[in-house]
Coordinates of all heavy atoms in Angstrom, one line a residue:
Chain A
N228 N 37.3 -225.8 87.9 CA 38.8 -226.0 88.1 C 39.1 -227.5 88.3 O 40.1 -227.9 87.8 CB 39.2 -225.2 89.3 CG 40.1 -224.0 88.9 OD1 40.1 -223.7 87.7 ND2 40.7 -223.4 89.9
R229 N 38.3 -228.2 89.0 CA 38.7 -229.6 89.3 C 38.7 -230.5 88.1 O 39.2 -231.6 88.1 CB 37.8 -230.2 90.4 CG 36.4 -230.3 90.1 CD 35.6 -231.0 91.1 NE 34.2 -231.1 90.7 CZ 33.3 -230.1 90.9 NH1 33.7 -229.0 91.5 NH2 32.1 -230.2 90.4
E230 N 38.1 -230.0 87.0 CA 38.1 -230.8 85.8 C 39.2 -230.4 84.8 O 39.4 -231.0 83.8 CB 36.8 -230.7 85.1 CG 35.7 -231.5 85.7 CD 34.4 -231.4 85.0 OE1 34.4 -231.0 83.8 OE2 33.3 -231.5 85.7
Y232 N 42.4 -230.7 84.0 CA 43.7 -231.4 84.0 C 44.3 -231.2 82.6 O 43.9 -231.9 81.7 CB 43.4 -232.8 84.4 CG 43.3 -233.1 85.9 CD1 42.1 -232.9 86.5 CD2 44.4 -233.4 86.6 CE1 42.0 -233.1 87.9 CE2 44.3 -233.6 88.0 CZ 43.1 -233.4 88.6 OH 43.0 -233.6 90.0
V364 N 44.5 -247.9 98.8 CA 45.7 -247.1 98.7 C 45.3 -245.6 98.9 O 45.9 -244.9 99.6 CB 46.4 -247.3 97.3 CG1 47.5 -246.2 97.1 CG2 46.9 -248.7 97.2
F365 N 44.2 -245.2 98.2 CA 43.7 -243.9 98.3 C 43.4 -243.5 99.8 O 43.8 -242.4 100.3 CB 42.4 -243.7 97.5 CG 42.3 -242.4 96.8 CD1 43.0 -242.2 95.7 CD2 41.5 -241.4 97.4 CE1 42.9 -240.9 95.1 CE2 41.4 -240.2 96.7 CZ 42.1 -240.0 95.6
R366 N 42.8 -244.5 100.5 CA 42.4 -244.3 101.9 C 43.7 -244.1 102.7 O 43.8 -243.3 103.6 CB 41.6 -245.5 102.4 CG 40.7 -245.2 103.6 CD 39.9 -246.4 104.0 NE 39.2 -247.0 102.9 CZ 39.4 -248.3 102.5 NH1 40.3 -249.1 103.2 NH2 38.7 -248.8 101.5
F368 N 46.5 -242.8 101.9 CA 47.0 -241.4 101.8 C 46.1 -240.4 102.6 O 46.6 -239.5 103.2 CB 46.9 -240.9 100.3 CG 48.1 -241.4 99.5 CD1 48.0 -242.2 98.4 CD2 49.4 -241.0 99.9 CE1 49.1 -242.6 97.7 CE2 50.5 -241.5 99.2 CZ 50.3 -242.3 98.1
R369 N 44.8 -240.7 102.7 CA 44.0 -239.8 103.4 C 44.1 -240.0 104.9 O 44.1 -239.0 105.6 CB 42.5 -240.0 103.0 CG 41.6 -238.8 103.2 CD 40.2 -239.1 102.7 NE 40.2 -239.4 101.3 CZ 39.3 -240.2 100.8 NH1 38.3 -240.8 101.5 NH2 39.3 -240.5 99.5
V370 N 44.3 -241.2 105.3 CA 44.3 -241.5 106.8 C 45.6 -241.1 107.4 O 45.7 -240.5 108.5 CB 43.9 -242.9 107.0 CG1 44.0 -243.3 108.5 CG2 42.4 -243.1 106.6
F373 N 49.8 -237.5 106.0 CA 50.6 -236.9 104.9 C 50.4 -235.4 104.9 O 49.4 -234.9 105.2 CB 50.2 -237.5 103.6 CG 50.8 -238.8 103.3 CD1 50.1 -240.0 103.5 CD2 52.1 -238.9 102.9 CE1 50.6 -241.2 103.3 CE2 52.7 -240.2 102.6 CZ 51.9 -241.3 102.9
Y375 N 51.0 -231.9 102.6 CA 51.3 -231.3 101.3 C 52.2 -230.1 101.4 O 51.8 -229.1 102.0 CB 49.9 -230.9 100.7 CG 50.0 -230.4 99.2 CD1 50.4 -231.3 98.2 CD2 49.7 -229.1 98.9 CE1 50.4 -230.8 96.9 CE2 49.7 -228.7 97.6 CZ 50.1 -229.5 96.6 OH 50.1 -229.1 95.3
G397 N 55.3 -234.2 101.0 CA 55.6 -234.2 99.6 C 54.7 -233.3 98.8 O 53.7 -232.8 99.3
F398 N 55.2 -233.1 97.6 CA 54.4 -232.3 96.6 C 53.7 -233.3 95.7 O 53.9 -234.5 95.8 CB 55.4 -231.3 95.9 CG 54.7 -230.1 95.3 CD1 53.9 -229.3 96.2 CD2 54.7 -229.9 94.0 CE1 53.3 -228.2 95.6 CE2 54.0 -228.8 93.4 CZ 53.3 -227.9 94.3
C399 N 53.0 -232.8 94.7 CA 52.2 -233.7 93.9 C 52.9 -234.8 93.3 O 52.5 -235.9 93.2 CB 51.4 -232.9 92.9 SG 52.4 -231.9 91.8
E400 N 54.2 -234.5 92.8 CA 54.9 -235.6 92.1 C 55.3 -236.7 93.1 O 55.4 -237.9 92.6 CB 56.2 -235.0 91.4 CG 57.3 -234.6 92.4 CD 57.2 -233.2 92.8 OE1 56.1 -232.7 92.9 OE2 58.2 -232.5 93.0
H401 N 55.4 -236.4 94.4 CA 55.7 -237.5 95.3 C 54.5 -238.4 95.4 O 54.6 -239.7 95.4 CB 56.0 -236.9 96.7 CG 57.2 -236.1 96.8 ND1 57.2 -234.8 96.5 CD2 58.5 -236.4 97.1 CE1 58.4 -234.3 96.6 NE2 59.2 -235.3 97.0
Y402 N 53.3 -237.8 95.5 CA 52.1 -238.6 95.7 C 51.8 -239.4 94.4 O 51.5 -240.6 94.4 CB 50.9 -237.7 96.0 CG 51.1 -237.0 97.3 CD1 51.6 -235.7 97.4 CD2 50.8 -237.7 98.5 CE1 51.8 -235.1 98.6 CE2 51.0 -237.1 99.7 CZ 51.5 -235.7 99.8 OH 51.7 -235.2 101.0
A403 N 51.9 -238.7 93.2 CA 51.6 -239.4 92.0 C 52.6 -240.6 91.8 O 52.2 -241.7 91.4 CB 51.7 -238.4 90.8
F406 N 51.9 -243.4 94.3 CA 50.7 -244.1 94.0 C 50.9 -245.0 92.8 O 50.5 -246.1 92.8 CB 49.6 -243.0 93.6 CG 48.3 -243.6 93.4 CD1 47.4 -243.8 94.5 CD2 47.8 -243.9 92.1 CE1 46.1 -244.3 94.3 CE2 46.6 -244.4 91.9 CZ 45.7 -244.6 93.0
Q424 N 47.2 -228.1 86.3 CA 45.9 -228.4 86.9 C 45.3 -227.0 87.3 O 45.9 -226.2 88.0 CB 46.0 -229.3 88.1 CG 44.7 -230.0 88.4 CD 43.7 -229.1 89.1 OE1 44.2 -228.3 90.0 NE2 42.5 -229.3 88.8
H443 N 51.5 -229.7 87.6 CA 50.9 -230.8 88.5 C 51.3 -232.1 87.9 O 51.7 -232.3 86.8 CB 49.4 -230.6 88.5 CG 48.7 -231.4 89.5 ND1 49.1 -231.4 90.9 CD2 47.6 -232.3 89.5 CE1 48.3 -232.2 91.6 NE2 47.4 -232.8 90.7
A444 N 51.2 -233.2 88.8 CA 51.4 -234.5 88.3 C 50.3 -235.4 89.0 O 49.9 -235.1 90.1 CB 52.8 -235.0 88.8
W445 N 49.8 -236.3 88.2 CA 48.8 -237.2 88.8 C 48.9 -238.6 88.1 O 49.9 -238.8 87.4 CB 47.4 -236.6 88.6 CG 47.0 -236.4 87.1 CD1 46.3 -237.3 86.4 CD2 47.3 -235.3 86.3 NE1 46.1 -236.8 85.1 CE2 46.7 -235.5 85.0 CE3 47.9 -234.1 86.5 CZ2 46.8 -234.7 84.0 CZ3 48.0 -233.2 85.4 CH2 47.4 -233.5 84.2
S446 N 48.1 -239.5 88.5 CA 48.2 -240.8 88.0 C 47.0 -241.2 87.1 O 46.0 -240.6 87.2 CB 48.3 -241.8 89.1 OG 49.4 -241.6 89.9
R457 N 41.6 -241.5 85.6 CA 42.5 -240.5 86.3 C 42.3 -240.6 87.8 O 41.2 -240.6 88.3 CB 42.1 -239.1 85.8 CG 43.0 -238.1 86.4 CD 42.7 -236.7 85.7 NE 41.4 -236.3 86.0 CZ 40.6 -235.7 85.1 NH1 41.0 -235.5 83.9 NH2 39.4 -235.3 85.4
V458 N 43.4 -240.7 88.5 CA 43.4 -240.8 89.9 C 44.4 -239.7 90.4 O 45.6 -239.7 90.0 CB 43.9 -242.2 90.5 CG1 43.7 -242.2 92.0 CG2 43.1 -243.3 89.8
D459 N 43.9 -238.8 91.2 CA 44.8 -237.8 91.7 C 45.0 -237.9 93.2 O 44.2 -237.4 94.0 CB 44.3 -236.4 91.3 CG 45.3 -235.3 91.6 OD1 46.4 -235.6 92.2 OD2 45.1 -234.1 91.2
P460 N 46.1 -238.6 93.6 CA 46.3 -238.8 95.0 C 46.5 -237.5 95.8 O 46.2 -237.4 97.0 CB 47.5 -239.6 95.1 CG 48.2 -239.5 93.8 CD 47.2 -239.2 92.8
T461 N 46.9 -236.4 95.1 CA 47.1 -235.2 95.8 C 45.7 -234.7 96.3 O 45.7 -234.1 97.4 CB 47.6 -234.1 94.8 OG1 48.8 -234.6 94.2 CG2 48.0 -232.8 95.5
A462 N 44.6 -235.0 95.6 CA 43.3 -234.6 96.0 C 43.0 -235.2 97.4 O 42.2 -234.6 98.2 CB 42.3 -235.0 95.0
A463 N 43.6 -236.4 97.7 CA 43.3 -237.1 98.9 C 44.0 -236.3 100.1 O 43.5 -236.2 101.2 CB 43.8 -238.5 98.9
V464 N 45.1 -235.8 99.8 CA 45.9 -235.1 100.8 C 45.5 -233.6 100.9 O 45.3 -233.1 102.1 CB 47.4 -235.2 100.5 CG1 48.2 -234.6 101.6 CG2 47.8 -236.7 100.3
A465 N 45.4 -233.0 99.8 CA 45.1 -231.5 99.8 C 44.0 -231.2 98.8 O 44.3 -230.8 97.7 CB 46.4 -230.8 99.5
P466 N 42.8 -231.5 99.2 CA 41.7 -231.2 98.3 C 41.6 -229.8 97.8 O 41.2 -229.5 96.7 CB 40.4 -231.6 99.1 CG 40.9 -232.0 100.4 CD 42.3 -232.0 100.5
D467 N 42.1 -228.9 98.6 CA 42.0 -227.4 98.2 C 42.8 -227.2 96.9 O 42.5 -226.3 96.2 CB 42.7 -226.6 99.3 CG 41.7 -226.4 100.5 OD1 40.5 -226.8 100.3 OD2 42.1 -225.8 101.5
R468 N 43.9 -228.0 96.8 CA 44.8 -227.8 95.6 C 43.9 -227.9 94.3 O 44.1 -227.2 93.4 CB 45.9 -228.8 95.7 CG 46.7 -228.9 94.4 CD 47.5 -227.7 94.1 NE 48.2 -227.7 92.8 CZ 47.6 -227.4 91.6 NH1 46.3 -227.0 91.6 NH2 48.3 -227.5 90.5
I469 N 43.1 -228.9 94.4 CA 42.3 -229.2 93.2 C 41.2 -228.2 93.0 O 40.8 -227.8 91.9 CB 41.8 -230.7 93.2 CG1 42.9 -231.6 93.6 CG2 41.2 -231.1 91.9 CD1 44.2 -231.5 92.7
E470 N 40.6 -227.9 94.1 CA 39.4 -227.0 94.0 C 39.8 -225.6 93.8 O 39.2 -224.9 93.0 CB 38.6 -227.1 95.3 CG 37.8 -228.4 95.5 CD 36.6 -228.6 94.5 OE1 36.2 -227.5 94.0 OE2 36.2 -229.7 94.2
Y471 N 40.7 -225.1 94.6 CA 41.0 -223.7 94.6 C 42.4 -223.3 94.1 O 42.7 -222.1 94.0 CB 40.8 -223.1 96.0 CG 39.5 -223.5 96.6 CD1 39.3 -224.3 97.6 CD2 38.3 -222.9 96.0 CE1 38.1 -224.7 98.1 CE2 37.1 -223.2 96.5 CZ 37.0 -224.1 97.6 OH 35.7 -224.4 98.1
A476 N 46.0 -224.1 98.8 CA 46.5 -225.3 99.4 C 47.7 -225.0 100.3 O 47.9 -225.7 101.3 CB 46.9 -226.3 98.3

Side-chain angles (χ1 to χ4, degrees):
Chain A
N228 251 8
R229 64 173 177 279
E230 282 179 27
Y232 277 87
V364 172
F365 216 79
R366 206 177 309 118
F368 278 120
R369 202 177 304 147
V370 173
F373 278 101
Y375 185 67
F398 203 58
C399 54
E400 70 270 33
H401 296 86
Y402 297 98
F406 185 86
Q424 203 281 322
H443 193 51
W445 62 94
S446 294
R457 180 170 68 221
V458 184
D459 190 349
T461 309
V464 181
D467 283 353
R468 165 69 185 86
I469 310 305
E470 287 291 339
Y471 306 112

